[in-house]
Amino acid sequence: MSAARWLAGGDWAAATHLGTAADAGDLVLAPATGTAARARHGIAFVPAGLPDPAQRDTTGADRWRRALVRLSAPLPAGCWLRLWTRTTSTTTPPPPPPRHDASAADGDRSPVPTPADRWRVAPTGATDVRVLCAPAAALWLALELGGDGTGTPRVADLRVETDDLGLVTRLPGVYRRLDPETQDMDDGDGLLGRYTGLLGSRLRETSSLLDELPALLNPAVTADRPDTPWLERLAAWVALDPARLPATPAHRRETVATAVERHAWRGTARGLLDAIRRETGVPVEVVEPLQDAVVWRLDPAAAATSALGLTTALVAADPGPPVLDRTALLDGSALVPPEDTGRPLHAHRAHRVCVHVPDGTPEQVRAVDAVVRRERPAHVLARTRATRPRTAVPSVVGRDHLPDAPVPGLADDVSYDARVDGPGRRIGTARLPGMPVSPTASGGLPASSAATAGPPASPPATAATEPPPATADPPESSAAAKGNPR
């Protein structure tokens, strides 16, 4: 049977402080007087007492044999700590360890055991120390902290254990015998016992790493600190950029844990929305124009698919490769290669994504657009725009609502592609073959296309300012001239 005891309990109330203090349950160097810096040296005394009598047996639980220092954070640069041990036959606190008087204390290379009422110091930085003092009575621990004034060690607690006699007990008795005459055996405090203790400490460290390996590979519990960036390593292993992980710890762990599943969404509207939400937190709407396309059919009962002029349009160009003397016109044809057959019919809708940022600021639009550019498929044209928030209240433009200035946005592509749209004039979503414009007085389209394209253009400003010329034509000829401008 072995015994163990935590000495501080998280508040360090049982400690005697000389230049140290308790801060959020940790033992630290006391703040320097009147400044924001820390003290450069401090010592805290903690009584360990004796093991619980109910836990004692004949296998080594009669006295404390091991002391462990548990740190709440790694030692900062310029900081250090040392552990001192002492057994005493009195209950009064012992004097402080003599730091500069080597004759009043035993070093880590001094003979074993250290007599009672005398301090023994462990190596600087050691957090797992074997108690090599004579088992006279109660054990006292002194934890010495030091630093350069800019930082402090943070000690969470101290633990003492009776433990067993170490790995030396597994050796044959002939190796453990100290004196053939007295038949004294090495109980772990001898030279061989201490060497095997060091070996056992290394073996425990290695085995603990193997035991903790499943936890290190679990994003929910793995370390996420600057000195142990295991979560960032896991992020790199699942093809995530550690620099783009969220700021909050819970979101960081959830992002890494669901990375493999979310990779299957990449390139879809769902994946785009998820990436924008995680990196910017801006609510957006992803619109795919091709999903709104319908097949036109003559059905008076279905107004959504039979609205002439709304669901119909002229073809931008011939759907396939041009044929001379039939579909290929000089300066009026879009040369479509065989691999792009059918593209003029659907290019204005297919492979396009519009990302709307309701009432978005220019900074929000830029942040969203950066994610869109990275996450969209290579063959998809994407546009990020700020839009006005929608409302369910009906309004009539010009009576209930006045159009404001256009909302700022960032364009990701161009609205005109000569290879897709073809040359000529645009009517709605179609593009007519190019044609020469006659130098008429109105400057508009010819009479044959004016009925298709809409009302004729307004006359030039110079013609509007000049008085009408005198004419003797009858009213019928004047009306005819107005209906057919030259």
Side-chain angles (χ1 to χ4, degrees):
M1 180 184 297
S2 61
R5 180 182 300 168
W6 292 103
L7 302 183
D11 58 1
W12 297 94
T16 302
H17 298 279
L18 298 177
T20 59
D23 180 20
D26 295 338
L27 180 68
V28 298
L29 288 170
T33 305
T35 64
R38 294 278 181 176
R40 294 179 176 270
H41 182 260
I43 296 179
F45 299 92
V46 182
L50 292 171
D52 188 350
Q55 293 178 313
R56 294 186 184 182
D57 58 15
T58 59
T59 61
D62 56 338
R63 63 185 179 94
W64 302 119
R65 295 179 178 271
R66 184 184 180 193
L68 298 96
V69 181
R70 187 165 69 93
L71 300 175
S72 61
L75 287 176
C79 296
W80 53 272
L81 60 84
R82 283 193 302 186
L83 186 63
W84 298 71
T85 56
R86 174 173 176 149
T87 55
T88 178
S89 57
T90 62
T91 58
T92 58
R99 298 176 54 207
H100 305 291
D101 186 3
S103 61
D106 286 349
D108 60 320
R109 298 178 182 271
S110 300
V112 178
T114 293
D117 299 326
R118 184 179 178 89
W119 287 104
R120 185 181 184 95
V121 63
T124 302
T127 57
D128 188 348
V129 177
R130 188 169 184 88
V131 179
L132 299 176
C133 299
L139 175 68
W140 282 80
L141 300 180
L143 191 58
E144 183 180 6
L145 306 181
D148 55 4
T150 60
T152 175
R154 302 192 70 90
V155 181
D157 211 335
L158 287 174
R159 177 185 173 97
V160 289
E161 299 176 354
T162 58
D163 209 356
D164 56 8
L165 301 182
L167 293 179
V168 71
T169 59
R170 303 186 183 182
L171 297 177
V174 64
Y175 295 106
R176 296 177 53 197
R177 187 175 294 113
L178 299 177
D179 189 348
E181 297 182 359
T182 61
Q183 299 296 319
D184 291 338
M185 306 294 287
D186 190 343
D187 61 353
D189 294 344
L191 181 62
L192 184 60
R194 283 181 284 170
Y195 271 114
T196 56
L198 291 176
L199 176 61
S201 178
R202 287 298 182 183
L203 291 178
R204 283 192 299 268
E205 181 180 350
T206 303
S207 62
S208 66
L209 290 177
L210 295 177
D211 294 338
E212 294 175 1
L213 188 59
L216 292 177
L217 300 179
N218 187 350
V221 296
T222 190
D224 186 19
R225 303 193 307 268
D227 61 303
T228 313
W230 264 99
L231 186 66
E232 296 184 0
R233 295 179 187 176
L234 296 183
W237 292 352
V238 293
L240 291 180
D241 186 359
R244 290 203 297 265
L245 290 178
T248 58
H251 290 167
R252 290 168 62 88
R253 297 182 183 277
E254 190 270 340
T255 299
V256 176
T258 60
V260 176
E261 178 186 1
R262 291 185 291 105
H263 283 326
W265 312 340
R266 193 170 187 183
T268 65
R270 178 184 179 183
L272 190 60
L273 285 171
D274 182 76
I276 294 173
R277 176 184 62 84
R278 290 178 181 277
E279 295 193 29
T280 67
V282 179
V284 299
E285 180 184 11
V286 177
V287 179
E288 298 180 74
L290 187 62
Q291 292 187 352
D292 297 332
V294 294
V295 178
W296 185 84
R297 64 181 183 271
L298 186 58
D299 186 3
T305 60
S306 303
L308 188 63
L310 297 179
T311 58
T312 61
L314 298 178
V315 180
D318 189 84
V323 180
L324 293 177
D325 296 333
R326 298 189 62 183
T327 61
L329 303 176
L330 184 62
D331 295 334
S333 297
L335 300 181
V336 180
E339 61 269 16
D340 290 341
T341 299
R343 184 175 181 181
L345 293 176
H346 308 289
H348 64 290
R349 291 180 180 269
H351 308 308
R352 292 176 183 266
V353 173
C354 302
V355 181
H356 298 165
V357 185
D359 204 18
T361 62
E363 292 77 12
Q364 291 177 332
V365 174
R366 292 189 185 94
V368 172
D369 187 68
V371 180
V372 172
R373 289 175 181 270
R374 187 186 68 249
E375 296 295 328
R376 67 176 177 85
H379 66 284
V380 173
L381 297 176
R383 184 189 298 270
T384 306
R385 292 289 188 185
T387 59
R388 294 299 183 190
R390 296 181 177 179
T391 177
V393 180
S395 61
V396 178
V397 175
R399 187 181 69 188
D400 299 332
H401 177 71
L402 295 178
D404 297 329
V407 182
L410 298 176
D412 192 31
D413 61 335
V414 295
S415 60
Y416 169 68
D417 187 348
R419 186 169 65 90
V420 175
D421 297 331
R425 296 180 178 274
R426 178 183 290 277
I427 297 181
T429 60
R431 185 172 291 279
L432 297 178
M435 58 186 68
V437 180
S438 60
T440 59
S442 62
L445 295 173
S448 59
S449 60
T452 306
S458 302
T462 55
T465 57
E466 296 178 358
T471 178
D473 294 340
E476 293 79 10
S477 61
S478 299
K482 292 180 181 179
N484 185 15
R486 292 187 297 275

